[in-house]
Amino acid sequence: MAAPHDGPWLDDAAGRLIRPYTVSNGRTRPTTRLDLMSQVRTTGTTPAGYLGPEHSLALGMCEAPTSVAEIAAQLKLPVAVTKVLLSDLVDCGAITTRAPDFYHNPTDRSLLEAVLDGLRRQL
């Protein structure tokens, strides 16, 4: 059995050995309203009670403001499951959320070009 810090259980041939919704105990609705672009960050409060390995991994990613989409991608979990995990962390006071800034038009050409340039630099 893997230790909690080892990350999700994986098998090279089969992939994830634990179904994603097992991670959230079958829950599909978060208790906190979260958007893909919502920013989450740790509060410095240590959560009381047991956290699963995915909760701990998500908490570790929130030391700086991080989007829900980024955390889901890093955890390799569906966004719905990630939102449930993050809402658990909000409920226990371990993280705080901030709604995305909508001052910028997400279809603004200059913004889209900047994103495209950033992606090209990554390749």
Side-chain angles (χ1 to χ4, degrees):
M1 184 173 338
H5 62 277
D6 288 342
W9 293 357
L10 298 174
D11 178 279
D12 292 337
R16 181 181 281 279
L17 296 176
I18 297 175
R19 292 284 186 218
Y21 290 96
T22 303
V23 172
S24 64
N25 293 326
R27 294 173 294 143
T28 58
R29 297 189 195 276
T31 57
T32 303
R33 184 180 171 130
L34 294 167
D35 185 273
L36 279 176
M37 297 182 345
S38 295
Q39 300 288 305
V40 293
R41 184 174 189 158
T42 59
T43 61
T45 302
T46 303
Y50 172 76
L51 288 179
E54 286 80 5
H55 285 92
S56 298
L57 289 171
L59 186 60
M61 293 178 208
C62 299
E63 292 180 8
T66 309
S67 72
V68 171
E70 178 66 22
I71 293 169
Q74 292 294 323
L75 291 176
K76 297 180 179 154
L77 287 172
V79 173
V81 173
T82 302
K83 286 181 179 182
V84 171
L85 294 176
L86 293 174
S87 69
D88 290 347
L89 293 170
V90 169
D91 291 346
C92 72
I95 64 171
T96 186
T97 68
R98 188 182 70 156
D101 291 331
F102 288 110
Y103 297 111
H104 302 289
N105 179 0
T107 58
D108 178 32
R109 184 176 179 91
S110 62
L111 176 62
L112 294 173
E113 287 175 355
V115 170
L116 183 59
D117 289 341
L119 290 172
R120 285 182 180 145
R121 281 193 296 268
Q122 293 295 320
L123 299 175

